[in-house]
Amino acid sequence: MTSTADKGDAASRARDLLGVGRLTNAALTTWLHGLPGVDQVGCEARAAALGTRSIKTTAKAWAIDAAISMIDLTTLEGSDTHDKVRSLCGKALVPDPTDATTPRPAAICVYGDMVATAKKALGDSGIRVASVATAFPSGRASMRVRLADTRDGVQAGADEIDMVIDRGAFLSGRYLEVFDQIAAVREACLRADGSSAHLKVIMETGELATYDNVRRASYLSMLAGGHFIKTSTGKVSPAATLPVTLVMLEAVRDWRELTGTQVGVKPAGGIRTSKDALKYLVMVSEVAGDDWLDPDWFRFGASSLLNDLLLQRQKLRTGAYSGADYVTID
Amino acid sequence: MAKLEYAPAPESRAVVEIRSSYGLFIGGEFVDSQGGGAFPSINPATEEVLADVTDASAADVDRAVRAARAAYRGVWGRMAGADRGKYLFRIARILQERAREFAVLETLDNGKPIKESRDVDIPLAAAHFFYHAGWADKLAYAGLGVAPQPVGVVGQVIPWNFPLLMLSWKIAPALACGNTVVLKPAETTSLTALLFAEVCQQADLPPGVVNIVTGAGATGQALVEHPGVDKVAFTGSTEVGKAIARSIAGTRKRATLELGGKAANIVFDDAAIDEAVTGIVNGIFFNQGHVCCAGSRLLVQEPVADELIRKLKRRLATIRVGDPLDKNTDLGAINSAVQLARVRELSDIGEAEGAQRWSLPCDLPPQGFWFPPTIFTDVAQSSRIAQEEVFGPVLSVLTFRTPQEAVAKANNTPYGLSAGIWTEKGSRILWMADQLRAGVVWANTFNKFDPTSPFGGYKQSGYGREGGRHGLEAYVTAGDLG
């Protein structure tokens, strides 16, 4: 997806919002630490309670199709090849050869060197190409390299950039540094024609350790201009969890109330079953609301999830559960 | 219309068999009444008659007390604690095995959502039997004397809000300590107690150890006043509790009374707001607010009051009111027409006294007894909805400025059963808990129950404790076997 670039300076917007003349680390710290805390026990209990919703028949059919359309079908391996990526794109174009009514996933998510291959394979299908960037997954490279990585992906045609934040800087309280880096990557998402690739900010919540940190990182990422906040690279355990996603959904909901700007949410990693996906959709619906139940505002970063959703979809259609050999491995 | 519109997900009612009529459970078997009548037990969600239940006479109560006495003298009072424990463990296991049956029946008879009977009432009831089974052979180590003895025959009268759970709170400790019981369930919710009678049979519990007499107020009075009863345990309204205390004055009978409440749920400006919202919802809308310890008075610190109320209303918009058997229902039916009238009356008074009423706009089923989740703001401390127990899904919101004011307002009620504190500051939790005159104080949570934790009130919320080591005290004495 592309959007008209926001030429507004992230720092000036942040100064307005924080009500300060100069954006300093102290100002950011005061603001982030002034956010309400998250009670771990209560947060996890709420996530578990939402997980007990019973989604049946028509609701299940809607939710399975919605979930499929929200997938960022992902392959992020050192062993990836152009053939592998082309095959995955084929899967996205025709998820289920036995049923043409099956929706397509939202995007293919690959490393930067695979972007051109994916773009070519997907053509004008409308399926987007997301490129991980900024020395994914650790982010441990100079800012110069991380920005070059980003521009590389954008130039290759990426519609979306999935960046990682510097967790070390965040955990040591260097919030301004993280802010500046996100804002810089956002600028690097600009294309020559003035449009911009969409920026997803991966917070790697598994390394942030507390829900308070997840909330603060979410606000910091939104403040710096991220279009999406994303849980995980998929390379760190734990990856996406329901309580972490709950905190992020509360953040985007409250952020829109505060600023009028809507930001998307992407849990990624570890979501493998339809049952799990449906729990996430229930949470989106009840916590953030209907506006987020849309591929433009909610994504699943997943690979094997798609096949489980297809199997469940076939079961709803035919009444019988077929098995893993009746969906394609790509 | 929401994008993700939940389809109906009803739990099957076929798992439980309801008889067309029930006798009384006396001396280990179901018997017909002597001179008593019958009354229908209805499903409050549909007003459908589920079964006819016996309205036990004074003669029936007398038979039940005699059966309990015989069982106490003959077997139960003399049995080794370890052996009593085996029976209690067996009952606990059967409750778990038949949990679905109990959950569906409780929901049908009471009107509470299946997710609550399934996830709270029934598992907790089994947990109470497990917990007390463990005590049965360890009473000498409970700090209640070197050789605590049972009291004898216990008369127990329980309310309609948690029928099987209140039964387990009463019967499990009584039996663990070597007493025998005659229990009267509330007249609107007798069915799970009668199903529990079947469990006693299934567990081969000696006849007469547990006796269930159904009926209304007169039956309860006959039980409480029966000279063969050594101890009375009651959970219910403060009004009836007072009548019981009066009627047993001057007798040898001991009593524990667990009565009403008007709990303050106190939210400070540094609280984890989103979790506090969940806690407020669980505090007052759990079980339709039919909870003696419900957080019916929200005290919120002024700087966060507007934000909290806005978030609360937004959250309430996701509350699903309707068919209690549907697994997605959050708020079920009001238990009876009488209770619905009381909730309506007090709500109307609240409005007339100047409070701002907000009810969730939702479709209520045409049949049955229903009341939408309701919040009153701008409530004065003097308003009746801030003082009296509504016992329904109605929340009164008041504000405060300082911790001292919060304490003063929280304590300013004739009740003292429970309270909640929401703050991220640990030292404030400890200070508040010390100041609040409430039997249970929850910190950053609400309506959490556990058999190991004593429960009970101050002031007009009653006396005595149930659960935990403290709860055993009501059921033992230093006296001899009677």
Side-chain angles (χ1 to χ4, degrees), chain B residues 262-268 273 276-277 279-281 283-285 294-314 316 346-347 350-351 353-359 373-388 390 392-401 405-406 409-410:
Chain B
K262 192 71 192 174
N265 208 356
I266 306 162
V267 181
F268 285 95
I273 289 284
V277 167
I280 293 161
V281 170
I284 186 60
F285 300 116
S296 52
R297 285 186 300 151
L298 174 63
L299 292 178
V300 51
Q301 201 162 15
E302 283 183 12
V304 291
D306 289 346
E307 185 191 357
L308 185 73
I309 291 163
R310 198 178 71 246
K311 286 195 162 193
L312 186 59
K313 286 180 179 172
R314 182 172 59 196
L316 287 183
L346 274 169
S347 299
E351 213 170 346
E353 286 180 345
Q356 294 298 314
R357 178 180 185 158
W358 180 90
S359 288
T374 296
I375 300 176
F376 280 101
T377 48
D378 299 334
V379 178
Q381 183 75 1
S382 58
S383 177
R384 281 181 66 188
I385 48 167
Q387 288 291 323
E388 294 182 29
V390 179
V394 178
L395 178 69
S396 295
V397 184
L398 299 92
T399 58
F400 69 92
R401 292 156 299 178
E405 187 184 353
K409 282 185 167 168

Side-chain angles (χ1 to χ4, degrees), chain A residues 36-39 42-43 46 53-59 62 215 250 253-254 257 281-282 286 290 293, chain B residues 1-7 9 115 271-272 274-275 278 310-311 314-315 318 320 327-328 330 424 444:
Chain A
V38 183
D39 184 80
C43 171
R46 168 97 168 114
R53 289 293 193 205
S54 185
I55 305 302
K56 302 287 182 204
T57 59
T58 50
W62 186 90
R215 177 167 286 172
E250 288 166 349
R253 174 197 71 193
D254 293 345
E257 264 190 13
L281 294 187
V282 163
E286 294 206 25
D290 272 355
L293 273 180
Chain B
M1 188 141 161
K3 285 182 181 170
L4 180 50
E5 193 69 35
Y6 301 158
K115 76 169 185 187
D274 290 298
E275 287 72 40
T278 296
R310 198 178 71 246
K311 286 195 162 193
R314 182 172 59 196
R315 172 66 191 281
T318 66
R320 304 172 65 84
K327 292 170 199 163
N328 290 324
D330 299 310
E424 290 279 274
N444 292 327

Side-chain angles (χ1 to χ4, degrees), chain A residues 202-236:
Chain A
I202 303 172
M203 303 186 293
E204 197 66 299
T205 53
E207 290 182 349
L208 300 184
T210 69
Y211 297 121
D212 287 336
N213 275 344
V214 172
R215 177 167 286 172
R216 289 169 187 165
S218 298
Y219 275 78
L220 187 60
S221 303
M222 294 187 290
L223 187 71
H227 295 106
F228 257 76
I229 49 177
K230 175 175 168 184
T231 58
S232 319
T233 59
K235 307 293 183 190
V236 165

Side-chain angles (χ1 to χ4, degrees), chain B residues 57-142:
Chain B
S57 65
D60 296 326
V61 170
D62 184 56
R63 264 195 302 164
V65 173
R66 284 172 196 281
R69 177 64 60 188
Y72 176 65
R73 286 207 176 119
V75 44
W76 198 254
R78 302 169 184 278
M79 190 182 281
D83 290 331
R84 289 199 307 271
K86 286 181 195 168
Y87 283 104
L88 293 177
F89 276 123
R90 200 180 294 165
I91 289 170
R93 283 194 299 269
I94 296 170
L95 285 177
Q96 286 186 324
E97 283 161 16
R98 302 178 67 174
R100 221 166 131 217
E101 208 179 328
F102 271 101
V104 170
L105 187 59
E106 198 76 299
T107 286
L108 285 171
D109 201 23
N110 172 279
K112 67 175 65 199
I114 186 73
K115 76 169 185 187
E116 289 178 8
S117 51
R118 178 195 68 198
D119 296 344
V120 182
D121 291 61
I122 312 305
L124 266 180
H128 269 267
F129 278 97
F130 274 118
Y131 173 75
H132 287 98
W135 268 122
D137 61 350
K138 303 173 193 71
L139 295 171
Y141 309 98

